[in-house]
Amino acid sequence: MSDLVLEGRRLRHSFGRTRVLDDVDLAVRAGEIVAVMGPSGSGKSTLLHLLAGLLRPDAGEVWLAGERFDTLSERRRSERRLAELGFVFQFGDLVPELTVEENVELPLRLMGVHARAARARASVMLERLGVVEHASKRLGEVSGGQAQRAAVARALVHTPPVILADEPTGALDTTTGELVLEAFVHAAREQGTAVVLVTHELRVASWATRDVLLRDGRIVGGSAAPSSGPSEPLAEVAP
Amino acid sequence: MALLALLDEGPTHGFDLKRRYDALLGHERELKYGQVYSTLQRLERDGLAAGVGIEAGGGADRKLYAITAQGVTELDQWLTTPDPVSGRPAEVFTRVVLALVSGRDADQVLEAHRRAFLDRMRVLTARRHAGDVVDRLAGDYEVAHLDADLRWIELASVRLKDIAEKVRATGSKGTDA
């Protein structure tokens, strides 16, 4: 049985008359961390939005857990996104009316997890991301970097099989950025989570097990297909 | 100067100095015994270190050295005086220019180096919990330098098409460059 969890096949997308992605293939296995790199405007974020089902491709296909994903109804895609994908945007995207911990609990509560269990699980994730002491604060009371780490905690809290992250460390300094990357490594190693990480920072890409390089909407370097053997050893998890 | 700094921890002999240096600063480039003893002789000649006895049971190579007051002054000055900052380009720069000048595909040169540097960075990242605090510091240092080289490679990749013709013209026969 294939352990491919997410696959984009010959993906093509344009905004107006501008072609931003052209016949891009990307296949991701469980437990892999794939860095998608490239200069601004190379199509990195568009690729991530197509894989997340937030955009529909003009041509090509997206497969999630062995099933066609891009052709599902909006409602069905939303349901599957909630259960199977964790998404980290460049700038947080939390609900401002809720506290940090309520934000992190949200995916679990929407999936019907009991309040007490959801809170306990959220605490573990906030602890891992170094923001547990801000759990009961509202979004306006925490810094941008703390909100970003809370957003990562929210993406990971329900242990989805796939994490899609768009410049998740862009607003963070090196040390707090490493907490986020450690959390991804932990999820990949311990839960077999597949992580697709859009970044323009090579230092961040060095945490991935492999990388692809996009330029002008095409893959021009790296490796778009998973290796056939066991995946490369991941960076060690913090003791 | 590094040996003088290690002598500042207390009197010791060449053998221990070498061990201490290798553990702290060696990082795949260990000191040779010959270098240690010739450096100690030079430090003694210049008045920065002095022989203070022979370790019991030892031979000539067990001579104990201590830093002198002049040595401490010199060390303090050295630590806070940066070397002149050089803009010496890395080997990858040289190869890209030569590829451009000779009409070869500089993109391939960049991609090969990009791959090699990123692979090395990945090894260092994977090792980040191994070793002691000094190993970690050395790893961070190398990662930061690789990061700088990789940024240059990214920049050069984007600009390559524009500059290829200009580089070919620069310094070619019949120009003044």
Side-chain angles (χ1 to χ4, degrees):
Chain A
M1 195 180 111
S2 165
D3 59 352
L4 282 183
V5 285
L6 182 65
E7 204 180 350
R9 296 181 188 165
R10 300 185 72 78
L11 290 174
R12 187 179 295 177
H13 198 73
S14 299
F15 291 117
R17 295 172 63 179
T18 308
R19 173 76 52 90
V20 286
L21 274 189
D22 207 357
D23 284 342
V24 168
D25 290 307
L26 182 67
V28 188
R29 284 193 328 188
E32 273 198 305
I33 301 180
V34 181
V36 178
M37 288 188 292
S40 290
S42 57
K44 306 187 294 290
S45 294
T46 303
L47 174 60
L48 210 61
H49 285 79
L50 290 175
L51 292 174
L54 296 168
L55 283 174
R56 279 188 202 267
D58 297 340
E61 302 170 359
V62 178
W63 291 69
L64 179 62
E67 287 177 39
R68 185 82 185 261
F69 182 52
D70 58 291
T71 48
L72 296 176
S73 68
E74 178 56 46
R75 185 180 161 191
R76 186 72 192 115
R77 266 186 295 154
S78 290
E79 285 169 0
R80 292 201 60 186
R81 235 187 341 258
L82 173 65
E84 296 171 61
L85 297 179
F87 206 99
V88 185
F89 293 92
Q90 199 168 350
F91 300 104
D93 193 46
L94 298 173
V95 182
E97 290 78 15
L98 301 180
T99 65
V100 166
E101 65 191 345
E102 285 165 352
N103 265 288
V104 177
E105 290 163 13
L106 204 54
L108 295 169
R109 298 293 286 140
L110 289 172
M111 290 167 73
V113 174
H114 190 273
R116 192 176 297 170
R119 175 124 322 174
R121 180 75 196 136
S123 275
V124 170
M125 288 315 303
L126 288 169
E127 175 90 49
R128 184 165 300 151
L129 273 305
V131 281
V132 73
E133 68 269 30
H134 305 292
S136 54
K137 292 181 182 168
R138 283 187 195 282
L139 224 46
E141 299 169 324
V142 298
S143 72
Q146 287 156 355
Q148 180 65 1
R149 282 181 281 157
V152 173
R154 186 184 63 178
L156 290 167
V157 74
H158 54 307
T159 59
V162 179
I163 293 284
L164 301 168
D166 192 357
E167 302 279 6
T169 62
L172 304 174
D173 61 40
T174 307
T175 312
T176 45
E178 286 191 0
L179 279 178
V180 167
L181 295 165
E182 293 275 11
F184 289 153
V185 170
H186 187 274
R189 270 201 158 180
E190 305 301 315
Q191 285 118 30
T193 306
V195 182
V196 182
L197 190 63
V198 160
T199 182
H200 69 279
E201 290 183 79
L202 289 141
R203 192 190 275 253
V204 172
S206 75
W207 289 64
T209 45
R210 86 187 146 90
D211 55 273
V212 295
L213 178 63
L214 278 177
R215 189 163 296 142
D216 300 327
R218 287 176 175 273
I219 289 180
V220 294
S223 165
S227 56
S228 51
S231 73
E232 293 173 49
L234 279 172
E236 251 178 63
V237 179
Chain B
M1 231 3 124
L3 291 187
L4 192 62
L6 296 179
L7 270 185
D8 195 43
E9 292 182 299
T12 187
H13 48 69
F15 180 73
D16 268 354
L17 274 180
K18 178 198 152 34
R19 275 205 314 215
R20 185 92 177 112
Y21 179 94
D22 290 345
L24 277 174
L25 305 166
H27 295 286
E28 297 164 26
R29 215 171 46 183
E30 298 190 344
L31 269 187
K32 293 191 167 62
Y33 281 108
Q35 283 175 280
V36 176
Y37 292 110
S38 64
T39 304
L40 284 170
Q41 282 167 8
R42 190 165 44 77
L43 291 173
E44 191 171 23
R45 183 197 68 202
D46 296 342
L48 305 178
V52 292
I54 309 277
E55 194 175 65
D61 60 344
R62 287 285 173 168
K63 183 173 174 181
L64 286 167
Y65 288 87
I67 192 167
T68 63
Q70 190 190 338
V72 172
T73 308
E74 193 96 349
L75 173 63
D76 285 339
Q77 199 172 3
W78 175 75
L79 285 173
T80 53
T81 310
D83 283 339
V85 179
S86 91
R88 192 171 54 83
E91 181 66 21
V92 56
F93 172 84
T94 307
R95 292 189 192 192
V96 166
V97 172
L98 293 177
L100 288 172
V101 167
S102 63
R104 289 182 169 81
D105 186 355
D107 254 331
Q108 277 186 12
V109 179
L110 285 170
E111 180 54 23
H113 282 78
R114 181 182 167 281
R115 177 65 30 215
F117 288 10
L118 192 55
D119 284 347
R120 173 67 183 162
M121 202 191 257
R122 191 166 286 155
V123 167
L124 291 167
T125 300
R127 269 194 214 157
R128 70 196 177 284
H129 297 305
D132 59 21
V133 67
V134 178
D135 292 331
R136 176 76 199 258
L137 213 52
D140 286 347
Y141 183 84
E142 194 181 336
V143 166
H145 278 251
L146 286 169
D147 196 38
D149 282 342
L150 283 160
R151 278 170 200 265
W152 178 80
I153 287 173
E154 296 288 298
L155 192 66
S157 303
V158 173
R159 291 186 179 167
L160 216 47
K161 288 188 186 75
D162 297 340
I163 62 173
E165 283 194 9
K166 289 178 191 165
V167 171
R168 263 199 290 280
T170 304
S172 65
K173 286 174 188 170
T175 69
D176 294 335

